[in-house]
Amino acid sequence: MTDPLTNLVKTYHELNAAVVHELDEQPSALEFMRHVAVNRPFVVRQAIRDWPAFQKWDANYLRQVMGREEVKVAITPLGNADAVVENKKDDTLVFVEPHEIFEPFGEFLDSIQRSSFCTTLTGGHVKYAQTQNDNLRHEYASLSPDVPTDVPFARIALGQKADAINLWIGDDRSTTALHKDNYENIYCQVRGEKDFVLLSPVEMPCVNEQVLARGRYVPVPSAGAATTSDDGGDCDDSGIGELEVQLDVDAERVPVATWDPDEPEKRTTAWSHLAKPLRVTLREGDMLYLPCFWYHKVNQRVGDEGFVCAVNYWYDCSFEGSSFASHSFARDVYLAEQRRPEYPELKVGGETEGA
Amino acid sequence: MTDPLTNLVKTYHELNAAVVHELDEQPSALEFMRHVAVNRPFVVRQAIRDWPAFQKWDANYLRQVMGREEVKVAITPLGNADAVVENKKDDTLVFVEPHEIFEPFGEFLDSIQRSSFCTTLTGGHVKYAQTQNDNLRHEYASLSPDVPTDVPFARIALGQKADAINLWIGDDRSTTALHKDNYENIYCQVRGEKDFVLLSPVEMPCVNEQVLARGRYVPVPSAGAATTSDDGGDCDDSGIGELEVQLDVDAERVPVATWDPDEPEKRTTAWSHLAKPLRVTLREGDMLYLPCFWYHKVNQRVGDEGFVCAVNYWYDCSFEGSSFASHSFARDVYLAEQRRPEYPELKVGGETEGA
């Protein structure tokens, strides 16, 4: 008998095409609900062309509207905010959050636009505005009139208003590591492009979830503001010098997907080879429905304006029905498999071989 | 660690109230789709009061419309069509289908109406018109103008027409044993009452599914038409005498739920006690949404006209998404648990105790 987890992933793939469905226009609430019912993503090309944001958000306009308002910016050495980092001291993995600063929006946008001349090799830090705390209705409230207050088909279908609307601004170097959220997600690309890699919740056994210690990037104290890397030049304009991982020994450890679909031979489980990652590129004006509990990894490329900008709407997941319980069950079975001792084969008659 | 199957059933119940939701009126297609999305049943009280069938279907009318048309009738000794029967010869269980005859509708209805004076103890056979093969649009086509050709909210939500419309006519003594169907089911009560006992697909580990040999009730050859039970009197008007189970040794064995939620201490599994059967009674005019893959057992009581009559609409299930794969996975894990040898406890150091 094939092991149940292998059957699970294979059966799922037999019943579901390994493509992201493409729609020509926004679905009705009922059509959307059909996708929610089967927890499957779709992309709507050019869905947000009518948004004022799509028409107006160039660098000049954003600078003009946001001016010198302070915004929270994530800073990492490699564009790896909220990501798995190898702790070189003991070869363990750590889930590392970014260093965070506040700076005037204009200065932040300057850094982003300049970054097209930088690589992570030239020593510059990577900045990303990615607070995911409903920032478009708070930090970036001045910009919020340019986007709809809700996505009508989602609001009607789900019978709720958006729980959060998030703005994301960054450059080519930021990557969002593979993770999942407890939200129905409507993701809208305003400027630049994003490459999404998607894995269904059923593929949990493939992603090598590990319970990791938490850490945060912090400036190296001895280095200080003066020690800007010589190689960094204009690229490192943060004035905060070198960053290193500081472990947070008091923080509760957190389960993190450690397998990377772009490096599929590394950190594998016995099921990683069964994964069939879906890949879709969002171009300017496109909208993605990213269903609850789906794993996603995101890379991005700046557009003509020299930055990447997206807006996403989060709606609460339903925990009714069997989906959440079934996903938890697969996780339980996966964990039990990890713990099961390897017994010797049983001989007929019940005697253990070699005992 | 609690075993994963226990966690699965418990988590499901924590997230889902153990009641059948009651609606005052038929849902919109979108509202219906929300129930489909979470695979949860609901009942709509008095939903079909406007149907001509609800207004017109008394015994006289049915006799008048159907007249002497021949209909297929299931005959069983105990009202147990498609049910688990204990084979007394070797204590095994058999999945037994009913004896089937064709008879003029009027004679069938006479039998049903007379049956209120009979019990299974008085020797009379139990008749049930329950062919479940889209019979309302074929065998009972003369009656089909009295019911809608489809249930609008379901047709619109699911984007498909009904795959089958079935008519059910029987008496108090027929029971439908616990089973599940691969259909979205809209069940409408026209006359009499039905008591449904419902179990979610997640409760599969509770129902003691066993792969059984198949059989069929057949008249005992030696007895023949003349040997009507003395005790039966008017009750046994079938003229077919005693019925016995004939095994079909060539038929493929079939997985059957053998646990009965009304006898919860018999034929249990290690998980049966975790089941939380939902109970709902459909009265004349009520409609039940019975979602795909739900186990259901049904008892019934005749109304003033002396028969029970229902109409149900079957729509194909979606196998997209993770529901079907997750249910198969739970079944696989359940079967693996059944097969797993009971190893002795491992001591620290890897030595087996008692080896």
Side-chain angles (χ1 to χ4, degrees):
Chain A
M1 181 177 168
T2 316
D3 90 284
L5 287 168
T6 297
N7 265 354
L8 170 63
V9 179
K10 283 190 172 178
T11 304
Y12 181 81
H13 288 311
E14 280 163 16
L15 295 172
N16 294 276
V19 291
V20 176
H21 196 49
E22 300 227 355
L23 307 184
D24 292 331
E25 54 185 348
Q26 294 190 36
S28 70
L30 173 58
E31 288 165 334
F32 177 60
M33 201 60 212
R34 291 193 190 125
H35 288 271
V36 173
V38 293
N39 191 242
R40 293 285 300 176
F42 61 78
V43 64
V44 192
R45 298 299 179 192
Q46 299 300 297
I48 65 159
R49 289 188 71 93
D50 296 337
W51 284 16
F54 183 80
Q55 313 281 343
K56 299 198 288 192
W57 285 8
D58 56 26
N60 284 341
Y61 176 83
L62 295 184
R63 264 196 200 86
Q64 182 188 320
V65 173
M66 288 294 296
R68 291 201 51 79
E69 287 186 56
E70 296 256 308
V71 296
K72 192 189 252 189
V73 176
I75 304 191
T76 56
L78 304 166
N80 54 336
D82 303 334
V84 174
V85 173
E86 286 179 30
N87 185 344
K88 284 165 191 159
K89 289 174 197 157
D90 59 1
D91 274 344
T92 56
L93 300 179
V94 186
F95 179 71
V96 179
E97 291 176 83
H99 180 55
E100 289 180 333
I101 62 165
F102 286 89
E103 69 177 343
F105 179 80
E107 290 176 25
F108 162 67
L109 193 57
D110 287 345
S111 300
I112 293 293
Q113 289 188 294
R114 257 201 309 273
S115 71
S116 52
F117 307 107
C118 310
T119 71
T120 51
L121 293 177
T122 58
H125 294 317
V126 179
K127 293 184 178 180
Y128 198 10
Q130 54 121 38
T131 40
Q132 305 163 62
N133 57 0
D134 201 23
N135 62 2
L136 191 57
R137 294 190 287 204
H138 295 90
E139 220 175 347
Y140 294 91
S142 317
L143 289 171
S144 65
D146 295 339
V147 308
T149 53
D150 237 313
V151 179
F153 66 77
R155 173 180 53 79
I156 297 167
L158 303 173
Q160 53 172 298
K161 295 182 176 179
D163 192 61
I165 309 179
N166 300 313
L167 178 72
W168 310 69
I169 299 179
D171 65 40
D172 285 349
R173 298 169 302 168
S174 276
T175 298
T176 303
L178 194 68
H179 73 288
K180 63 186 167 65
D181 303 304
N182 286 351
Y183 288 107
E184 304 285 7
N185 195 342
I186 304 289
Y187 206 100
C188 304
Q189 191 68 26
V190 183
R191 291 290 173 265
E193 297 186 351
K194 296 212 181 200
D195 300 321
F196 280 79
V197 187
L198 309 178
L199 288 167
S200 80
V202 162
E203 287 162 297
M204 182 268 163
C206 311
V207 305
N208 201 3
E209 195 177 278
Q210 295 185 30
V211 181
L212 300 186
R214 302 180 75 135
R216 184 176 284 281
Y217 279 117
V218 294
V220 177
S222 58
T227 324
T228 305
S229 160
D230 284 341
D231 298 332
D234 278 352
C235 293
D236 191 1
D237 52 8
S238 63
I240 53 162
E242 201 180 340
L243 292 171
E244 65 178 5
V245 173
Q246 186 175 67
L247 274 177
D248 183 348
V249 288
D250 296 328
E252 204 176 348
R253 294 165 72 93
V254 60
V256 182
T258 66
W259 182 67
D260 181 344
D262 292 327
E263 292 186 281
E265 304 302 326
K266 281 179 64 178
R267 292 188 205 138
T268 56
T269 70
W271 298 274
S272 296
H273 68 285
L274 299 172
K276 291 194 180 179
L278 307 185
R279 291 172 189 275
V280 62
T281 295
L282 292 197
R283 292 178 288 271
E284 294 187 1
D286 293 350
M287 171 189 279
L288 171 70
Y289 166 52
L290 177 56
C292 283
F293 312 128
W294 274 64
Y295 297 94
H296 49 290
K297 177 187 176 180
V298 193
N299 286 300
Q300 53 189 26
R301 281 178 302 286
V302 300
D304 294 341
E305 291 288 317
F307 61 90
V308 186
C309 175
V311 171
N312 85 292
Y313 296 74
W314 266 344
Y315 298 85
D316 288 332
C317 292
S318 170
F319 288 80
E320 219 191 331
S322 66
S323 296
F324 183 80
S326 292
H327 300 331
S328 296
F329 173 61
R331 170 171 287 104
D332 280 354
V333 172
Y334 172 81
L335 294 175
E337 284 295 317
Q338 309 283 84
R339 285 178 201 155
R340 199 183 300 287
E342 289 193 19
Y343 286 97
E345 287 284 314
L346 262 199
K347 273 189 186 169
V348 178
E351 287 177 35
T352 54
E353 205 154 34
Chain B
M1 180 178 169
T2 318
D3 91 284
L5 287 167
T6 297
N7 265 354
L8 170 63
V9 179
K10 283 189 170 178
T11 304
Y12 181 81
H13 288 311
E14 280 164 15
L15 295 172
N16 294 276
V19 290
V20 176
H21 195 51
E22 300 228 356
L23 307 184
D24 292 330
E25 54 185 349
Q26 294 190 36
S28 70
L30 173 59
E31 289 166 335
F32 177 60
M33 201 60 212
R34 290 191 191 127
H35 289 270
V36 173
V38 293
N39 191 242
R40 294 285 300 177
F42 61 78
V43 64
V44 193
R45 297 299 179 193
Q46 300 302 296
I48 66 158
R49 290 186 72 93
D50 296 335
W51 285 15
F54 183 79
Q55 313 281 344
K56 301 198 288 191
W57 285 8
D58 56 25
N60 284 341
Y61 177 83
L62 295 183
R63 264 196 201 87
Q64 183 188 320
V65 173
M66 287 294 295
R68 292 203 51 78
E69 288 187 54
E70 296 256 307
V71 295
K72 191 189 255 189
V73 176
I75 303 191
T76 56
L78 304 166
N80 53 337
D82 304 334
V84 174
V85 173
E86 286 180 32
N87 186 344
K88 284 165 192 162
K89 288 176 196 156
D90 58 1
D91 274 345
T92 56
L93 300 179
V94 185
F95 178 72
V96 179
E97 291 176 85
H99 180 55
E100 289 179 334
I101 63 165
F102 287 89
E103 68 177 343
F105 179 81
E107 290 176 25
F108 161 67
L109 193 57
D110 287 345
S111 299
I112 293 294
Q113 289 188 293
R114 256 200 311 273
S115 70
S116 51
F117 307 107
C118 310
T119 71
T120 52
L121 294 176
T122 58
H125 295 317
V126 179
K127 291 184 178 180
Y128 198 10
Q130 54 121 37
T131 39
Q132 305 163 61
N133 57 359
D134 201 23
N135 63 2
L136 191 59
R137 294 191 288 203
H138 296 90
E139 224 175 344
Y140 295 90
S142 316
L143 288 171
S144 66
D146 294 339
V147 308
T149 53
D150 237 313
V151 180
F153 67 77
R155 173 180 53 79
I156 296 166
L158 303 173
Q160 53 173 297
K161 295 182 176 176
D163 191 61
I165 309 180
N166 300 312
L167 178 72
W168 309 70
I169 298 178
D171 65 39
D172 284 350
R173 298 171 300 167
S174 276
T175 297
T176 302
L178 195 68
H179 74 288
K180 62 186 168 67
D181 303 305
N182 287 350
Y183 289 106
E184 304 286 7
N185 194 343
I186 304 290
Y187 206 100
C188 304
Q189 192 67 26
V190 183
R191 290 291 172 265
E193 298 186 351
K194 297 213 181 200
D195 300 320
F196 280 79
V197 187
L198 308 177
L199 288 167
S200 79
V202 162
E203 288 162 298
M204 182 269 163
C206 312
V207 304
N208 201 3
E209 194 178 280
Q210 296 185 30
V211 181
L212 301 185
R214 303 179 76 133
R216 184 176 284 281
Y217 280 116
V218 294
V220 177
S222 58
T227 326
T228 305
S229 159
D230 284 342
D231 299 332
D234 278 351
C235 292
D236 191 359
D237 53 8
S238 63
I240 53 161
E242 201 182 338
L243 292 170
E244 66 178 6
V245 172
Q246 186 176 68
L247 273 177
D248 183 349
V249 289
D250 296 328
E252 204 176 347
R253 294 165 71 93
V254 59
V256 181
T258 66
W259 183 67
D260 181 345
D262 292 326
E263 293 187 279
E265 304 301 326
K266 281 180 63 178
R267 291 189 205 136
T268 56
T269 71
W271 298 274
S272 297
H273 68 286
L274 300 172
K276 293 195 179 177
L278 307 186
R279 290 172 191 276
V280 61
T281 295
L282 293 197
R283 292 178 287 272
E284 294 187 359
D286 293 349
M287 172 189 277
L288 172 69
Y289 166 52
L290 177 55
C292 283
F293 312 128
W294 274 64
Y295 297 93
H296 48 292
K297 178 188 175 179
V298 193
N299 287 301
Q300 53 189 26
R301 281 177 302 286
V302 301
D304 294 341
E305 291 290 315
F307 60 89
V308 186
C309 176
V311 171
N312 85 292
Y313 296 75
W314 267 343
Y315 298 84
D316 288 333
C317 292
S318 170
F319 288 79
E320 217 189 333
S322 67
S323 298
F324 183 81
S326 292
H327 300 331
S328 297
F329 173 60
R331 171 171 286 104
D332 280 354
V333 172
Y334 172 81
L335 294 174
E337 284 296 315
Q338 307 284 84
R339 286 178 199 153
R340 199 182 301 288
E342 288 193 20
Y343 287 96
E345 286 285 313
L346 263 198
K347 274 189 186 168
V348 177
E351 285 176 39
T352 55
E353 205 153 35

